[in-house]
Amino acid sequence: MAIEGDLAQMGAFLGAGLASVGMGGAAIGVGNVVGNYLSGALRNPAAAAGQTATMFIGIAFAEALGIFSFLVALLLMFAV
Amino acid sequence: MATETNGAATEHAQGMPQLDFSTFPNQIFWLLVTLVVIYFVMSRVALPRIASVLAERHGAIQSDLDKAEQMKAKAVEAEAAYNKALVDARAEAQAIVEATRAEIQKDVDVAMAKADAEIAAKSAESEAAIKEIRDSAMSAIEEVANDTAEAIVAKVMPAAADKAAVKAAVSARLKG
Amino acid sequence: MAIESDAVEQELELAIHPMDQFLVKPLFGGGHGDIGMFTITNATLWLGITVLCAIALMVLGTRGRAIVPSRSQSIAEVIYVFIYKMVEDITGKDGLKYFPYIFSLFIFILVANVVGLLPASFTTTSHIAVTATLALIVFVAVTVLGFVKNGTAFLSLFWVSAAPLALRPILALIEVISYFVRPVSHSIRLAGNMMAGHAVIKVFAGFAVVTFISPAAIGAIVAIYALETLVVCIQAYVFTILTCVYLKDALHPSH
């Protein structure tokens, strides 16, 4: 039981670590959203203020998928 | 908080406390209580109060703006009145200047006319005096000429001495 | 998570328990025992403190009703106008009916997050139980509202009429899935951000025990604390703005 349990736990931990890599994708996505917003805002600063809310919505959507990988990691760590 | 030790029982989290489902009913219950309290306080007290304050401020600002607008209109009006007064005063001054000038002109004209008349009278008088002098001179000349001619005629041919004929001949010569 | 004590020299114990701060404990009775539904716990205490702070800011702060606001009144007014504008801009005029709830949601999350940043406090919003309840209330309310306001036309939310006909069923499937994972991402975003930030601070606090890296650790705590102060406000904002977006989908489901 001990060895199998350890093996299963090791697998779960490895999986959790791998799932965390997915959050890097979310980070890239969020960076993309903000970077594009900023480059647009610098070109047309007058229109920037009105689009801040849209940027945050975009960030939230990009982040949502990273949250799933976080969720998977949590589930592997604590629930499996 | 992590290392707080109350007696022997130092509790450490096993795994994630967030996934300890035994605490869920408790948390959810108290959360709902919290939400209900916050919702009622906000929707009954705080939000209407802030809304009324904002509306009041908006009204105050609006009325101030209106007042400023009125003041501005009044200022414009005052400026127009001032300008009008200025124009009026200028026109009046012009009129006064005009009237004064006309009066002076009249005086000058009268004085001129008077002077002219005086000059005319004086010159007529002088002319008359000159004429009189000339006439008297003329008659003196005629007399002298008559006397001279009579004397000449009486000397030359005393028979033919006719006073009237000599006089006529002399005046005919003088006129010619 | 604790490193074995024999790995560390002297009596110094590098014991890092970053998750201990999230433990829910009964306030009375020595801190143990079962937690029933109505037990007064530290979570209850901090929820109560949140309510008191929110009331202090929004009610006591505005009691002057001044035309020229005091400091606390202008903070309350700024928050009011900010959320009012957000609701009006995103959901339109007909969404303003739900403004009081959205405002309560925002002020609760904001104050709970900020209060949770106090040292030795308990962050109620770092618990999935709390954020999931908040998100589920929004999700259920929005779904019910969508069907009540639009009837079956609400389902057009999933039928992307702008896409080619062949793609529409696939898109509909994706839309349905993304609709149902909304409460998951909605809640875990908030809880995850709160939990991760506080746990990172705690990890650095654990390193601060070791003398030669303690300056760096304390510097890191300060930096992350500053970042957390920002994150705390942004997460409250994001939660609220997403609520507005979901509400807009329910009121005007056509794309």
Side-chain angles (χ1 to χ4, degrees):
Chain A
M1 181 253 156
I3 288 178
E4 280 116 48
D6 283 353
L7 265 181
Q9 203 175 22
M10 188 184 80
F13 284 177
L14 278 177
L18 286 175
S20 300
V21 174
M23 292 167 72
I28 293 171
V30 170
N32 227 340
V33 171
V34 178
N36 282 329
Y37 166 79
L38 198 56
S39 70
L42 287 176
R43 268 193 210 137
N44 186 3
Q51 298 307 317
T52 322
T54 321
M55 176 191 71
F56 274 107
I57 295 170
I59 287 177
F61 286 153
E63 207 181 32
L65 299 170
I67 286 170
F68 297 140
S69 65
F70 175 63
L71 190 64
V72 168
L74 283 186
L75 288 175
L76 284 171
M77 285 284 283
F78 300 111
V80 176
Chain B
M1 231 172 112
T3 50
E4 76 183 300
T5 47
N6 44 357
T10 308
E11 271 189 83
H12 290 310
Q14 297 295 315
M16 272 176 72
Q18 279 91 342
L19 294 177
D20 181 3
F21 291 99
S22 67
T23 65
F24 272 34
N26 177 275
Q27 290 197 63
I28 291 170
F29 169 74
W30 288 111
L31 172 68
L32 292 179
V33 170
T34 305
L35 279 183
V36 167
V37 170
I38 286 191
Y39 179 75
F40 272 94
V41 171
M42 291 301 144
S43 63
R44 293 289 152 85
V45 184
L47 298 182
R49 181 186 291 177
I50 296 175
S52 75
V53 166
L54 289 179
E56 207 172 290
R57 179 172 314 146
H58 189 77
I61 289 172
Q62 201 58 47
S63 76
D64 280 3
L65 283 179
D66 288 352
K67 221 178 271 172
E69 199 66 36
Q70 281 170 11
M71 293 283 196
K72 201 178 163 194
K74 227 176 254 178
V76 167
E77 216 168 89
E79 202 191 340
Y82 165 76
N83 279 338
K84 194 166 167 286
L86 200 64
V87 167
D88 283 357
R90 210 167 267 166
E92 205 170 311
Q94 198 71 32
I96 288 170
V97 164
E98 211 56 51
T100 313
R101 182 179 292 158
E103 210 165 288
I104 290 169
Q105 193 65 43
K106 217 165 77 189
D107 284 358
V108 166
D109 284 354
V110 167
M112 230 30 164
K114 207 171 157 194
D116 278 355
E118 240 163 72
I119 289 166
K122 276 240 168 91
S123 68
E125 206 173 294
S126 323
E127 227 157 90
I130 289 168
K131 199 168 182 241
E132 204 173 302
I133 291 167
R134 197 200 290 155
D135 283 357
S136 72
M138 272 311 238
S139 66
I141 287 169
E142 213 173 324
E143 221 165 287
V144 168
N146 277 341
D147 286 354
T148 313
E150 263 175 32
I152 291 167
V153 168
K155 278 278 184 199
V156 173
M157 42 177 158
D162 186 359
K163 258 189 179 174
V166 169
K167 201 174 184 174
V170 167
S171 70
R173 281 307 267 210
L174 278 176
K175 279 199 180 122
Chain C
M1 274 168 208
I3 292 171
E4 302 295 329
S5 56
D6 55 24
V8 182
E9 291 168 346
Q10 299 161 351
E11 287 299 294
L12 192 75
E13 201 171 333
L14 188 60
I16 304 173
H17 302 289
M19 306 310 270
D20 283 4
Q21 59 180 324
F22 304 120
L23 276 175
V24 178
K25 285 177 277 189
L27 266 194
F28 307 107
H32 331 260
D34 287 338
I35 295 170
M37 194 157 174
F38 308 113
T39 315
I40 309 283
T41 61
N42 50 354
T44 316
L45 171 70
W46 287 96
L47 284 171
I49 290 173
T50 303
V51 173
L52 291 183
C53 290
I55 290 175
L57 176 63
M58 301 306 296
V59 177
L60 297 185
T62 58
R63 73 183 182 285
R65 295 163 183 264
I67 291 287
V68 179
S70 61
R71 262 181 237 182
S72 56
Q73 190 184 330
S74 60
I75 292 173
E77 281 172 10
V78 163
I79 296 175
Y80 178 96
V81 171
F82 181 63
I83 302 299
Y84 192 89
K85 276 291 221 199
M86 187 203 286
V87 175
E88 194 179 20
D89 287 351
I90 294 179
T91 63
K93 287 269 180 224
D94 45 350
L96 286 177
K97 222 191 309 174
Y98 313 102
F99 167 68
Y101 183 69
I102 293 175
F103 185 86
S104 308
L105 203 56
F106 177 77
I107 204 80
F108 168 70
I109 296 172
L110 181 70
V111 174
N113 286 355
V114 171
V115 161
L117 273 179
L118 296 174
S121 71
F122 175 86
T123 317
T124 48
T125 43
S126 70
H127 272 260
I128 291 168
V130 170
T131 59
T133 309
L134 294 174
L136 276 175
I137 292 171
V138 171
F139 179 74
V140 171
V142 158
T143 309
V144 169
L145 199 66
F147 279 112
V148 168
K149 289 258 168 186
N150 304 292
T152 49
F154 181 56
L155 293 173
S156 70
L157 183 64
F158 307 118
W159 195 251
V160 187
S161 48
L165 192 61
L167 277 177
R168 281 185 208 172
I170 305 166
L171 278 178
L173 186 65
I174 295 173
E175 289 278 325
V176 169
I177 292 174
S178 81
Y179 187 81
F180 280 98
V181 296
R182 272 175 180 185
V184 177
S185 64
H186 203 186
S187 60
I188 294 188
R189 176 178 299 112
L190 179 57
N193 271 292
M194 291 303 109
M195 185 191 74
H198 286 71
V200 167
I201 290 180
K202 207 68 181 194
V203 168
F204 278 111
F207 283 135
V209 177
V210 184
T211 317
F212 67 94
I213 53 168
S214 63
I218 290 168
I221 290 173
V222 172
I224 290 175
Y225 196 93
L227 180 70
E228 274 304 291
T229 314
L230 178 68
V231 166
V232 143
C233 299
I234 288 179
Q235 287 308 319
Y237 173 64
V238 166
F239 196 97
T240 318
I241 207 169
L242 283 177
T243 304
C244 291
V245 170
Y246 298 161
L247 184 61
K248 186 207 75 181
D249 280 350
L251 296 175
H252 316 283
S254 50
H255 278 274

